[in-house]
Amino acid sequence: MVFASGGGGGPPLLTARFARQVVLGRWFMVFACLLILSASGATYIFSIYSKVLKTSLGYDQRTLNTLSFFKDLGANVGVISGLINEVTPPWVVLSMGAVMNLAGYLMIYLAIDGRTSRPPVWLMCIYICVGANSQSFANTGALVTCVKNFPESRGIVLGLLKGFVGLSGAIFTQLYLAIYGDDAKSLVLLVAWLPAAVSILFVHTVRLMPYPRGSAARSSRNGPFFCFLYISIALATYLLVMIVVQNQVQFSHAALAVSAAVLLLILFLPLGVVVKEEYRIQKELHESLRDPPTVTVEKPTLLLQQQMSTTTTTTTTAAAAAAAAAPETEEQSTTETEHDPASNGKPSSWLCLGSCVKHMFNPPAQGEDYTILQALVSVDMLVLFLATICGVGGTLTAIDNMGQIGQSLGYPAKSINTFVSLISIWNYAGRVTAGFASEIFLAKYKFPRPLMLTLVLLLSCVGHLLIAFGVPQTLYAASVVIGFCFGAQWPLLFAIISEVFGLKYYSTLYNFGSVASPIGAYVLNVRVAGYLYDVEAAKQHGGSLAGGDKTCIGVDCFRLSFLIITAATVAGALVSLVLVWRTRKFYKGDIYAKFRDHDDSSSSSSSSLPVGQQQRHKEVAEESTEVNGKKGSL
């Protein structure tokens, strides 16, 4: 039933058919992914509830950092989710992630709230690893699907979606204050149920869709993404204002509820962009079907018939020649197999294994579709992996220990919460800046993404040094720099992987790239920062931490740790220069040409048509090509 019509003779708006088009459209899928990922960054607020874990369960700093390591391990080791996503639709991966999130974090909440007996440390490590691993399932199901649906805008897609993941920490903080008040235990409960509920709500809207062909689709492809970007900037600005105001003024529970309602309103603003874009698509289709066809439409049909006739003749001649030569070839092949001295009488399975190993070390050109094994053993992946271990590992160590860093330097508890929120905001800023800026610089100036990654690593050293020397009131600046650099590394890393190794096995390779994060976090966080913190704390408490106060106060608690982290990050920047050198020729070319070749060849003959008719004309031409091809084969 029609409730309203579009203005200017356009298609009807408020109809069940249009609503179905909106919900099933590619832009609503992007909106759903934005919400899923904005609720999937619970790992970034670990420092808020880590103090509750430490006091409720009696952990020292090294044990707390071990939990943090397993949290990072679960969040970033998503190879299993990637392999599952290779063979199942995205809704399977999202559903599994929702179940894991609820189970893992709910058990942590029951433990710190005293509703279950105190679990051993190894069991808590399993709980937090399972809960955090749900983040990799959400990222694989939502983000990888979006990149495959918009391959020419992958930098923009990665920056935008990863930006919402970065904002999720501040979003969680505002929501839990409005729902539960200032209770860190209840924050863990919110982390348990909210991401699972959002994933289940939108699970069937996230799916792979046919790649849109034609100049009309390409010309308007990035417009909605920039609208989403402006809304996300408004959201980040609002969160930043609320963080500053709440740090200065004591809010009542009713005021916190109002601020959370405004937050949710901004979160759902992208839905208006979705409706507008789907209406534009519907209007163009409506106009193309209403306008009579012109004589220009017949030209590609004649060309297609001539091409079909030529292709059929060539195919028939080639088939006859192949049939005549087949017996001789088969006999020759059999003889060669039987008398091949290299086979040495080995069974064919050994020969297949040898062929696979040889193929693994003979990768295609950069930008083509690598197999999983070819990518994993390539020099490019090794270099990228080492640089990420140093870069992400160092910034993640700072983020996970920000609560203890602020406490050791004498900042009040309210300021520590401000640091966490600032990291979340600037984490977002780094992601969207790196994603959009790297895409624009690449398109206009052929500026390689690996070089931008090198610059980000060098910038992060500034934040590490500010923490190491503990200059008064500089922790605010350090949290900004570290949050920005941590966020900027992710879209660059994932975009480089997709560009150098192709999209065919991107689900798995995307998650393999994330494995570098927990490795770096374990080395730099657990073995370096956690160990040196406890050594300094023991010095301040009589040489032992057994049964006593485990808190360290002073600049020396983290000074040596972050000097080591700075040196490791500089080493990672130098390693990344190797990748810059190896990919210099690749990034000087047109890395997206293969996605446009078909579009340009099929659109040249119909460029005189209106935009709507061009798109409709290409669909008809593709259908006629398929039909003619079947007739020719018959």
Side-chain angles (χ1 to χ4, degrees), residues 152-385:
E152 286 189 64
S153 307
R154 66 189 70 181
I156 291 175
V157 171
L158 286 166
L160 182 67
L161 296 182
K162 277 294 184 180
F164 273 84
V165 176
L167 284 177
S168 61
I171 292 172
F172 268 116
T173 303
Q174 294 296 316
L175 292 180
Y176 106 86
L177 288 174
I179 299 174
Y180 298 108
D182 193 5
D183 181 9
K185 293 180 182 179
S186 299
L187 174 60
V188 181
L189 180 61
L190 181 68
V191 167
W193 68 264
L194 183 59
V198 175
S199 293
I200 293 299
L201 180 62
F202 293 104
V203 70
H204 286 296
T205 64
V206 181
R207 65 202 186 281
L208 290 173
M209 298 181 179
Y211 183 64
R213 298 290 183 178
S215 57
R218 184 164 65 247
S219 64
S220 62
R221 189 170 294 148
N222 290 336
F225 283 124
F226 280 94
C227 292
F228 293 149
L229 171 64
Y230 303 145
I231 293 174
S232 68
I233 292 174
L235 177 62
T237 303
Y238 174 76
L239 288 170
L240 183 61
V241 170
M242 293 307 301
I243 290 168
V244 173
V245 172
Q246 289 173 5
N247 193 39
Q248 302 295 327
V249 180
Q250 187 68 32
F251 272 45
S252 65
H253 190 267
L256 291 172
V258 172
S259 69
V262 176
L263 170 66
L264 293 175
L265 177 64
I266 300 175
L267 268 176
F268 278 85
L269 278 180
L271 187 57
V273 179
V274 173
V275 174
K276 179 182 177 181
E277 184 65 17
E278 291 296 336
Y279 177 73
R280 185 192 65 79
I281 295 172
Q282 182 72 10
K283 184 177 180 180
E284 289 184 358
L285 180 60
H286 181 76
E287 292 175 353
S288 67
L289 295 177
R290 183 182 60 189
D291 295 338
T294 64
V295 70
T296 316
V297 178
E298 298 177 2
K299 292 183 180 180
T301 305
L302 295 176
L303 291 174
L304 288 170
Q305 289 175 353
Q306 293 173 2
Q307 292 174 0
M308 178 271 295
S309 177
T310 304
T311 304
T312 304
T313 304
T314 305
T315 304
T316 305
T317 305
E328 180 181 354
T329 304
E330 181 179 357
E331 181 180 355
Q332 181 180 359
S333 176
T334 305
T335 304
E336 289 177 355
T337 303
E338 291 176 353
H339 300 286
D340 184 9
S343 65
N344 230 358
K346 295 180 181 179
S348 59
S349 59
W350 289 102
L351 295 176
C352 292
L353 179 61
S355 177
C356 290
V357 172
K358 182 179 179 181
H359 183 65
M360 178 175 67
F361 291 100
N362 187 26
Q366 291 174 340
E368 300 298 325
D369 289 325
Y370 282 55
T371 66
I372 295 174
L373 291 178
Q374 285 174 338
L376 296 187
V377 300
S378 69
V379 176
D380 295 332
M381 181 65 84
L382 177 62
V383 171
L384 191 59
F385 196 75

Side-chain angles (χ1 to χ4, degrees), residues 12 65 70 109 388 424 433 504 633:
N65 285 3
F70 277 94
Y109 169 74
T388 306
S424 181
T433 300
K504 185 174 183 180
S633 63

Side-chain angles (χ1 to χ4, degrees), residues 385-418:
F385 196 75
L386 290 176
T388 306
I389 286 176
C390 300
V392 175
T395 51
L396 192 58
T397 299
I399 291 173
D400 287 344
N401 289 280
M402 191 56 67
Q404 283 69 40
I405 293 171
Q407 186 180 32
S408 67
L409 295 178
Y411 289 87
K414 184 176 289 188
S415 295
I416 293 173
N417 289 336
T418 302

Side-chain angles (χ1 to χ4, degrees), residues 46 49 53 57 67 102-114 116 119 123-132 185 188-189 192:
F46 176 77
Y49 62 86
L53 284 171
L57 302 176
L67 278 178
L102 183 62
Y105 284 110
L106 185 60
M107 295 306 298
I108 295 174
Y109 169 74
L110 295 176
I112 63 178
D113 201 44
T116 62
L123 188 56
M124 284 292 291
C125 290
I126 292 177
Y127 288 158
I128 200 166
C129 186
V130 170
K185 293 180 182 179
V188 181
L189 180 61

